[in-house]
């Protein structure tokens, strides 16, 4: 009787299939929850991720129902006259290039299509700034050298710098926007890619046939399927289908003063060198545009001050030489367009400020001047430009002091 009672009250052993199914469900749920946490973490803490990961996943959409990317694209509008511009009325638009992160606001006027990264005009206008992204500035507005000329040095400034433009587009912008403001000075900022930009503008307008150019950078692989929405799917696809190695290595990373610098690899001549047909063509355009710009400025009663911005590797030459980064052939070719423009300044008695020596001294003293991964000026670099431009204006009497 006791034995029978014991048999009847004993619970039947669970089947193995049920046990394993439960385990698999728990494991699957844990994995899915972990993947979801990773997706949420990437979006919530994007700013703390390594720059390389940020760059790799920047085109992934924030949400399946929204086309906005993790890093929004720069809202360029192409234009056959002024090459490219950013429209008015963007407010606190976020930009991230490498380690450079800032927001911008563009203001507009009724009679022009481009947005100006400039404070509200204070009349009468002293100076109009034209240039590329180094004038638009890759920092917050308050840290931009154009803004500082107004807020810290007391000049009334209009900043019409537009990213992605060369001297041809900048001359066109000058002609379109200068006269209504009646500036006494036009500050014209130069960077080493201006020759290539002038070639690109000529190609847009079909004024020149295709010429040999610096080796192009491979565009990022297009995201497909679930990759568009999921970081995990994108990383898995990169493992299963790794992108092909580029035919030319464009950049390298070096450690300088405790931080990482991204610089050209040195595997081919610098991109601003006349060894490339497109650059040689563009340089001839540069000469013509600078000459025409001075003539136009004179016609409206304005002087011209050219501000030459060297490349990051030029400014860091002393540090990079100590590391043995480039050979002598590369160093001899570097800064070709900047040196040629300086020779033009001297030959034509143009007002020019070359920032190279100023940047070299600042870097030797421990200032960063440029972003590490990005090639633009950081906050300290912008402050140096504002100080140098103000000093040149006052020393040469280009504007009457206020």
């Amino acid at each position: 009787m006791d034995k029978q009672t014991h048999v009847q009250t004993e619970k039947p052993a669970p089947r193995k299939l049920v046990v394993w199914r439960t385990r698999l469900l728990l494991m699957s749920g844990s994995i899915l929850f972990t993947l979801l946490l990773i997706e949420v973490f990437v979006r919530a803490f994007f700013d703390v991720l390594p720059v390389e990961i940020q760059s790799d996943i920047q085109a992934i959409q924030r949400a399946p129902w929204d086309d906005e990317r993790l890093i929004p694209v720069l809202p360029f509008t192409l234009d056959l006259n002024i090459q490219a511009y950013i429209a008015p009325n963007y407010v606190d638009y976020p930009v991230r290039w490498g380690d450079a992160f800032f927001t911008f606001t563009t203001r507009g006027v009724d009679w022009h299509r481009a947005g100006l990264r400039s404070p509200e005009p204070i009349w009468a206008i002293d100076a109009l700034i034209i240039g590329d992204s180094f004038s638009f500035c890759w920092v917050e507005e308050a840290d931009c050298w154009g803004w500082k000329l107004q807020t810290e040095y007391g000049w009334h400034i209009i900043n019409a710098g537009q990213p992605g433009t060369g001297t041809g587009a900048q001359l066109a912008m000058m002609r379109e926007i200068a006269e209504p403001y009646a500036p006494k000075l036009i500050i014209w900022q130069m960077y080493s890619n201006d020759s290539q930009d002038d070639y690109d503008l000529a190609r847009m307008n079909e004024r020149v046939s295709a010429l040999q150019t610096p080796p192009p950078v491979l565009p990022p692989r297009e995201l497909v399927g679930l990759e568009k929405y999921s970081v995990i799917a994108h990383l898995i696809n990169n493992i299963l289908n790794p992108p092909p190695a580029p035919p030319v290595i464009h950049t390298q990373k070096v450690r300088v003063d405790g931080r990482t610098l991204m610089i050209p690899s040195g595997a081919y001549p610098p991109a601003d060198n006349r060894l490339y047909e497109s650059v040689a063509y563009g340089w001839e355009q540069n000469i013509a545009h600078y000459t025409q710009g001075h003539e136009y400025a004179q016609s409206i009663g304005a002087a011209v001050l050219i501000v030459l911005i060297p490349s990051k590797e030029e400014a860091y030459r002393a540090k990079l030489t100590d590391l043995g980064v480039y050979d002598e052939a590369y160093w001899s070719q570097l800064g070709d367009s900047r040196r040629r423009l300086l020779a033009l300044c001297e030959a034509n008695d143009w007002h020019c400020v070359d920032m190279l020596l100023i940047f070299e001294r600042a870097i030797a003293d421990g200032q960063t001047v440029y972003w590490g991964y990005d090639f633009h000026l950081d906050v300290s670099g912008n402050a140096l430009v504002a100080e140098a431009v103000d000093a040149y204006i006052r020393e040469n009497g280009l504007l009457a002091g206020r």
Side-chain angles (χ1 to χ4, degrees):
M1 184 68 179
D2 291 338
K3 183 177 180 181
Q4 183 179 3
T5 304
H6 175 73
V7 171
Q8 290 177 346
T9 58
E10 185 179 353
K11 294 182 180 179
R15 290 178 298 173
K16 290 185 177 180
L17 182 62
V18 174
V19 172
W20 281 106
R21 184 176 63 183
T22 302
R23 290 177 178 175
L24 287 174
L25 287 173
L26 290 173
M27 289 174 60
S28 300
S30 298
I31 291 172
L32 290 174
F33 182 71
T34 301
L35 293 177
L36 179 61
L37 282 180
I38 293 174
E39 292 284 347
V40 172
F41 176 85
V42 166
R43 286 157 172 76
F45 299 98
F46 184 87
D47 291 348
V48 303
L49 297 175
V51 173
E52 291 84 356
I53 295 179
Q54 292 179 3
S55 177
D56 188 45
I57 66 175
Q58 61 182 324
I60 294 172
Q61 293 178 205
R62 289 190 176 275
W65 56 86
D66 190 348
D67 290 337
E68 183 182 357
R69 306 179 349 155
L70 290 178
I71 298 181
V73 295
L74 200 63
F76 281 117
T77 299
L78 295 181
D79 188 281
L80 293 178
N81 200 38
I82 60 173
Q83 196 161 1
Y85 65 90
I86 294 178
N89 303 321
Y90 284 102
V91 178
D92 294 333
Y93 190 93
V95 176
R96 181 183 292 278
W97 281 27
D99 56 336
F101 176 69
F102 64 96
T103 61
F104 69 80
T105 296
T106 52
R107 303 168 181 87
V109 291
D110 294 338
W111 45 271
H112 202 272
R113 59 201 176 282
L116 307 180
R117 197 177 188 205
S118 181
E120 295 296 331
I122 301 176
W123 305 97
I125 297 302
D126 292 313
L128 167 69
I129 296 173
I130 58 170
D132 57 19
S133 52
F134 284 86
S135 290
F136 190 82
C137 295
W138 243 232
V139 291
E140 294 295 334
E141 188 171 66
D143 297 317
C144 175
W145 64 271
W147 183 280
K148 284 178 173 293
L149 283 175
Q150 177 152 308
T151 58
E152 295 185 14
Y153 295 98
W155 303 114
H156 296 175
I157 300 293
I158 296 294
N159 185 355
Q162 293 293 327
T165 61
T167 61
Q170 293 154 14
L171 174 61
M173 174 68 85
M174 184 195 305
R175 287 171 168 161
E176 290 183 8
I177 206 168
E179 193 167 355
Y181 287 116
K184 297 296 184 291
L185 177 65
I186 294 174
I187 303 173
W188 197 342
Q189 169 261 310
M190 168 270 180
Y191 187 64
S192 60
N193 60 6
D194 285 345
S195 295
Q196 182 64 36
D197 285 333
D198 274 3
Y199 164 75
D200 292 338
L201 180 60
R203 287 287 291 156
M204 286 172 60
N205 285 278
E206 300 181 344
R207 295 196 302 264
V208 63
S209 59
L211 300 174
Q212 177 213 17
T213 66
V217 178
L218 286 179
R221 179 172 56 82
E222 183 179 357
L223 302 184
V224 295
L226 192 59
E227 278 189 292
K228 295 180 179 179
Y229 320 107
S230 169
V231 173
I232 301 300
H234 177 60
L235 295 178
I236 291 174
N237 192 47
N238 276 350
I239 295 172
L240 299 178
N241 302 291
V248 177
I249 304 299
H250 285 264
T251 59
Q252 61 179 315
K253 288 183 283 188
V254 296
R255 293 288 291 178
V256 175
D257 294 338
R259 70 172 186 149
T260 299
L261 291 187
M262 184 78 79
I263 56 174
S265 66
Y268 55 92
D272 70 329
N273 198 276
R274 283 171 293 173
L275 293 172
Y276 302 109
E277 294 175 344
S278 61
V279 175
Y281 171 88
W283 170 246
E284 296 301 321
Q285 301 299 302
N286 287 175
I287 297 173
H289 297 146
Y290 281 123
T291 302
Q292 295 166 24
H294 279 80
E295 292 170 352
Y296 173 77
Q298 186 177 23
S299 74
I300 63 170
V304 174
L305 172 59
I306 300 175
V307 180
L308 295 83
I309 306 293
S311 65
K312 179 163 64 177
E313 57 272 25
E314 284 183 90
Y316 271 86
R317 178 166 182 167
K319 303 278 187 179
L320 298 177
T321 298
D322 291 341
L323 297 175
V325 175
Y326 299 129
D327 59 24
E328 284 303 316
Y330 190 87
W331 283 123
S332 67
Q333 296 164 349
L334 190 62
D336 183 48
S337 58
R338 184 188 56 80
R339 291 193 300 270
R340 282 182 277 127
L341 181 53
L342 281 175
L344 273 181
C345 291
E346 185 175 351
N348 293 285
D349 200 25
W350 290 344
H351 292 289
C352 297
V353 174
D354 182 17
M355 294 301 303
L356 179 59
L357 289 178
I358 297 170
F359 286 172
E360 287 178 333
R361 291 169 185 154
I363 289 168
D365 289 340
Q367 295 190 51
T368 51
V369 182
Y370 294 80
W371 294 106
Y373 281 74
D374 188 79
F375 65 92
H376 291 95
L377 301 179
D378 64 8
V379 173
S380 65
N382 274 269
L384 291 169
V385 174
E387 181 182 17
V389 170
D390 174 72
Y392 190 96
I393 289 172
R394 296 180 189 277
E395 290 170 6
N396 292 272
L398 298 183
L399 292 171
R402 294 187 176 278

